[in-house]
Amino acid sequence: MGLPETNSFQLYSKWPHGPKNLISDVEGVTVGHSTINQGEIHTGVTAVFPHGGNLFRDKVMAGVAVINGFGKSMGLVQVEELGTIETPILMTNTLSTGIAHTVLTKYMLEQNEDIGITTGTVNSIVTECNDGRLNDIRGMHVMEKHVREALDSASADFEEGAVGGGTGMVCLGLKGGIGSSSREVKIDGKAYVVGSLVMTNFGEAGNLVIGGVHYDTTKARPGDRKDKGSVIILIATDIPLNERQLKRVAKRSMIALARTGSYCGNGSGDIAIAFTTANRIPHYSEKSILESRMFYDENIDIVFEAAVESVEEAVISSLYHAGTMTGVRGNCYMGLREFLEKE
């Protein structure tokens, strides 16, 4: 069973996908990449903006689910406590979280002269996966210019596959990377979007499942059967949800991982962040009581299901758009399309 030769591959789903079938179908969300491919260096940075305004002054409500905590992300503790995001979200390799955090903080300081002077500091969010199977990760090749390139290039149209933070990632025995998808749902007579973006570096070779069909990817990597990667999952929506409900949505992403063949192994850092553009929290307010909207919990299954479908497809899309790559120490991981051609 092969996949269709199309640049907008979609799994069968209950809910229709958005116009781009990307996380940016949620209005205001943009994504930028910086990709480094030089010899044995295969890494980069991806930046995701929840909206196009000043995120520090106009925060979005958010929830975090640490599915398996084998990870080195930065900024999640405050999101867990306050339920808001106030910076773009960066995705890179494990040993580049420091430089990414520094540059993102500088970026926010440039836009907000009050930070650290008349108000508090800023909670910069950086997420990571270990790309050391294909990238010279010890060389720490991500530099300030690469982080800025990702931030400055953010757009509603962006590439998937072996780009940005996903450049050197490996997933389920094949070449992983960045994947994205979206679903449209109608609630109370109005159309809303649930979108996702993933950086896939998880799973054991031989466990890949696409649409319920198992693929033995050990044929591409004989003997490579240990789950030693991670995945970062971002879920965006314009549905009014509060931070508690967003955390519940983030938790459901584990179902999508299971559908694609993951069991969240010991060494896999599986992190999900969900946010809504519908509920904004101002940094400054003359009022002590703020108004926000939430979803009626008895009817929230539609949001859960759309999120699971979107994340599942984003995972497969990350594989579908990533080509075969040979990296550090001669390691080679096959792209999904090439693998299927040989099946």
Side-chain angles (χ1 to χ4, degrees), residues 67-82:
I67 300 165
N68 194 55
F70 202 103
K72 291 82 180 170
S73 296
M74 304 176 75
L76 302 186
V77 172
Q78 184 168 310
V79 179
E80 178 74 12
E81 181 69 20
L82 299 184

Side-chain angles (χ1 to χ4, degrees), residues 68 70-72 94 128-134 137 168-174 199-207 221-231 261-270 328-329 331 333:
N68 194 55
F70 202 103
K72 291 82 180 170
T94 308
E128 55 75 35
C129 294
N130 183 345
D131 61 12
R133 285 175 281 184
L134 283 169
I137 193 169
M169 302 301 171
V170 173
C171 183
L172 291 159
L174 298 175
M199 182 166 71
T200 57
N201 194 53
F202 70 91
E204 179 180 309
N207 284 13
R221 290 286 299 184
D224 188 7
R225 292 191 63 91
K226 189 173 178 61
D227 184 347
K228 51 185 177 182
S230 298
V231 61
S262 171
Y263 52 80
C264 299
N266 174 68
S268 187
D270 307 319
V328 68
R329 297 178 294 280
N331 289 332
Y333 284 87

Side-chain angles (χ1 to χ4, degrees), residues 54 56-57 105-122 283-284:
N54 187 313
F56 183 74
R57 291 175 174 266
T105 300
K106 288 182 179 179
Y107 180 86
M108 297 303 296
L109 293 176
E110 290 170 8
Q111 298 181 17
N112 300 275
E113 295 181 353
D114 50 342
I115 292 177
I117 299 176
T118 59
T119 191
T121 56
V122 62
H283 186 75
Y284 296 107

Side-chain angles (χ1 to χ4, degrees), residues 265-298:
N266 174 68
S268 187
D270 307 319
I271 309 293
I273 304 171
F275 64 85
T276 177
T277 60
N279 279 330
R280 307 286 185 88
I281 306 298
H283 186 75
Y284 296 107
S285 176
E286 295 179 357
K287 296 181 179 180
S288 296
I289 297 177
L290 302 175
E291 294 182 358
S292 66
R293 294 179 294 164
M294 62 175 285
F295 210 92
Y296 177 50
D297 283 315
E298 288 296 318

Side-chain angles (χ1 to χ4, degrees), residues 162-218:
V163 292
T167 302
M169 302 301 171
V170 173
C171 183
L172 291 159
L174 298 175
K175 181 68 190 74
I178 299 293
S180 191
S181 179
S182 69
R183 293 292 183 270
E184 290 187 341
V185 294
K186 279 196 174 181
I187 300 168
D188 295 341
K190 182 179 178 181
Y192 292 92
V193 178
V194 178
S196 64
L197 184 141
V198 298
M199 182 166 71
T200 57
N201 194 53
F202 70 91
E204 179 180 309
N207 284 13
L208 174 64
V209 177
I210 302 176
V213 179
H214 173 258
Y215 293 88
D216 184 7
T217 55
T218 57

